[in-house]
Amino acid sequence: MRTAGLRAYYPMSDPSLRTLDELRPTLEAALKYQMKEAINITTNQLFGLIPTEPLRVYAVASRLSLESIVGIAVRAVEEKNLRDAYVDELEEIPLPVYHQLLYYCAHSRDIFNIQVPFPVQVPSNVTLEPRNVTDFSRRWENIAGTPFDPQTTEAGVRVHCKVDDVHLGVPADILRLFSPTLAGMLSEIPSSPESSTPTTITISAGSTAFLAALEACHPAEFPPLTEPLDIVAGLKVAEKYKMSKSVSSLRAALTSLASNSGSSELDPLELYFAACSVGMEDLATTAARKTLRRDIVEEFRASVHSRYYVSAGSLWRLLDFHRRSRAAVRAVVDNTEWISPDWLLRLESPERRCSRARGVGSSSLPCWYPQYKKALGEEAWPKVEYASSASTLEKATKPVRIGIGYGSGDVYICGSTCAGTKSMLLLFDFCKYVEETMRAHEMEVKLEWKFSPTHL
């Protein structure tokens, strides 16, 4: 890396960096040390890799704030239809950067004027801070030994929350009992029985995040936390300082939100990213299923969904989950391979064979079958419930146009067999069978999982 960077200044041929893996460390070093000639050479070589690796180049250029390359890389991604592709570099950039690529590709905007949102990499050491400490203090108003007056409390320990420079008074016994890490910090401080000044320890967390973790192990009862960001912030502090009781309580609290994530008050997309940020795979899968059939690219809100600091890879995995789930449902709509032999026998039974289906489909099937299949396939991604809905049944049994011989025109499905009681009961049963099959196929799709803990 250093050799390639330094050679750019000597009267020799430019260093040959053929791959992105070779080029990237040299380019990063050149930018770090502001080596202008090396930056020009390596930037030009990065530009030359756009035709072969546009998505990787986009991720690297975004991460390094090379805006002159970003827009061109986006166009190449769109032209080569690589918006759904995956590259390892997606794990290094935050959600808004990747979402911007998807949004511009979907809308064919002026991608040469694309603006890179900052920060352009996933932070390795940040602290989530959900709410103002004053708002959070209301939860402690009726609790004895409130931590909001560290000078007068009988706590004996003053916790200095470094992120927002807030001091909280906490009983020493609480810290020793529920956090071996904080207990160790206390044990390292020489005790002074004659001193009236509380012992002070400093933690690399915000006050509200620490309070959320403290509530979860405190003997007093508090109203349940209902904001995912509050819970995630507290959970990260609890994990960092090994507050095992708080970890269990907060994970349970976050999981409990899934039952309400279909309501307008809680966005399942936010819950998905929250679960990804703390490595809760089961919860992420549950939340991801609740986002199915929603337009994630259009509904993405950077101000909400990006505050959990998960990588763009989490968004790619969610969109990939959507694509595979949709394909699983369409497989039921677009072919008949999934129909069991027993059901084929029922559908092709001689006593239910359509007497005039030559104009509407196979003579071995009821004449409502092709209409039902057509109605089911009208949506690109039909809902499972649509398989047996009233509107689908109505379309399956609507008048059929036949154009064979004399008297062609609109006629109802044949009354002799297809519109008979037995055939209608068969249709109702078949609808339920299709619904169950679609649901089973969709549930078989698994969310690809990858957890890379950050900012802990």
Side-chain angles (χ1 to χ4, degrees):
M1 176 181 70
R2 293 180 179 178
T3 301
L6 291 173
R7 284 183 61 189
Y9 279 91
Y10 286 88
M12 302 171 62
S13 299
D14 293 344
S16 178
L17 303 172
R18 295 183 177 85
T19 68
L20 187 57
D21 292 332
E22 294 175 341
L23 175 61
R24 180 175 173 178
T26 303
L27 175 57
E28 290 175 343
L31 291 168
K32 180 178 180 180
Y33 296 107
Q34 300 181 10
M35 303 165 68
K36 293 184 179 180
E37 183 64 22
I39 290 173
N40 290 335
I41 293 173
T42 52
T43 299
N44 288 334
Q45 291 180 338
L46 181 64
F47 180 84
L49 293 174
I50 291 178
T52 56
E53 298 184 284
L55 185 55
R56 292 188 70 196
V57 171
Y58 171 79
V60 171
S62 297
R63 190 174 186 275
L64 299 178
S65 303
L66 301 175
E67 297 185 26
S68 61
I69 293 179
V70 167
I72 302 174
V74 172
R75 168 168 284 187
V77 169
E78 171 64 10
E79 290 177 348
K80 294 179 178 294
N81 195 27
L82 294 174
R83 71 177 74 177
D84 296 337
Y86 175 82
V87 295
D88 290 338
E89 285 77 10
L90 291 179
E91 308 300 335
E92 303 175 24
I93 59 175
L95 295 175
V97 175
Y98 182 51
H99 171 259
Q100 181 179 241
L101 166 72
L102 299 174
Y103 187 83
Y104 273 77
C105 286
H107 292 273
S108 300
R109 298 296 180 90
D110 183 2
I111 52 183
F112 283 104
N113 294 326
I114 193 170
Q115 298 295 314
V116 179
F118 295 94
V120 290
Q121 55 185 296
V122 180
S124 59
N125 186 25
V126 298
T127 303
L128 299 182
E129 196 56 20
R131 285 186 278 172
N132 184 282
V133 67
T134 303
D135 296 334
F136 219 90
S137 67
R138 297 190 182 97
R139 298 171 58 84
W140 290 76
E141 287 179 348
N142 299 318
I143 305 299
T146 174
F148 291 95
D149 190 357
Q151 296 294 343
T152 59
T153 184
E154 298 177 358
V157 178
R158 180 185 298 171
V159 179
H160 175 214
C161 300
K162 191 175 181 180
V163 170
D164 53 358
D165 196 28
V166 173
H167 291 79
L168 301 171
V170 183
D173 291 342
I174 293 288
L175 299 181
R176 293 191 179 98
L177 181 61
F178 295 110
S179 172
T181 302
L182 296 178
M185 294 171 63
L186 287 173
S187 66
E188 295 175 358
I189 301 175
S191 59
S192 178
E194 298 179 357
S195 175
S196 59
T197 303
T199 300
T200 300
I201 59 173
T202 299
I203 62 173
S204 55
S207 58
T208 57
F210 176 69
L211 287 169
L214 185 62
E215 283 185 9
C217 65
H218 199 278
E221 292 188 6
F222 294 86
L225 292 170
T226 58
E227 290 292 333
L229 187 61
D230 291 345
I231 299 173
V232 169
L235 180 54
K236 289 182 175 294
V237 172
E239 290 177 335
K240 181 173 185 177
Y241 293 101
K242 296 180 171 59
M243 304 167 73
S244 58
K245 181 179 180 181
S246 296
V247 170
S248 299
S249 298
L250 291 170
R251 284 182 176 271
L254 193 59
T255 299
S256 69
L257 297 182
S259 60
N260 300 321
S261 59
S263 66
S264 58
E265 290 78 15
L266 183 59
D267 176 15
L269 184 57
E270 179 181 0
L271 187 60
Y272 167 77
F273 291 125
C276 289
S277 71
V278 290
M280 297 179 65
E281 181 178 359
D282 290 344
L283 178 59
T285 299
T286 298
R289 291 198 186 282
K290 291 179 180 292
T291 69
L292 293 180
R293 297 174 181 81
R294 291 174 52 176
D295 191 334
I296 300 302
V297 174
E298 292 298 323
E299 294 184 20
F300 181 85
R301 293 175 293 157
S303 61
V304 175
H305 302 135
S306 300
R307 56 186 182 175
Y308 295 95
Y309 294 99
V310 295
S311 71
S314 297
L315 178 55
W316 182 88
R317 281 181 281 279
L318 177 62
L319 294 172
D320 176 67
F321 180 66
H322 276 227
R323 288 188 288 268
R324 289 185 289 115
S325 296
R326 179 174 56 195
V329 171
R330 288 299 312 184
V332 177
V333 177
D334 296 336
N335 63 68
T336 59
E337 296 175 358
W338 52 272
I339 301 180
S340 70
D342 289 343
W343 259 106
L344 283 176
L345 287 175
R346 293 183 65 184
L347 290 172
E348 297 175 349
S349 172
E351 65 179 17
R352 298 187 178 92
R353 182 169 295 171
C354 180
S355 61
R356 64 180 186 210
R358 289 176 297 169
V360 295
S362 171
S363 61
S364 64
L365 295 173
C367 59
W368 49 253
Y369 178 82
Q371 297 198 130
Y372 175 77
K373 186 176 180 180
K374 180 181 179 181
L376 198 60
E378 288 178 349
E379 298 290 334
W381 190 353
K383 293 182 178 180
V384 171
E385 299 79 8
Y386 189 60
S388 59
S389 68
S391 61
T392 304
L393 290 170
E394 182 180 357
K395 292 176 182 178
T397 56
K398 71 179 182 179
V400 179
R401 171 170 289 276
I402 59 175
I404 302 175
Y406 178 77
S408 63
D410 287 339
V411 298
Y412 288 95
I413 59 175
C414 61
S416 59
T417 53
C418 297
T421 302
K422 289 184 178 180
S423 185
M424 288 297 95
L425 290 175
L426 178 67
L427 172 58
F428 297 149
D429 287 346
F430 185 68
C431 289
K432 290 297 183 182
Y433 172 61
V434 173
E435 180 179 343
E436 292 170 359
T437 303
M438 290 173 65
R439 180 175 289 105
H441 280 215
E442 192 169 84
M443 291 299 294
E444 287 175 359
V445 179
K446 304 298 182 183
L447 175 71
E448 185 179 333
W449 182 250
K450 184 175 183 178
F451 174 55
S452 301
T454 57
H455 56 276
L456 292 178

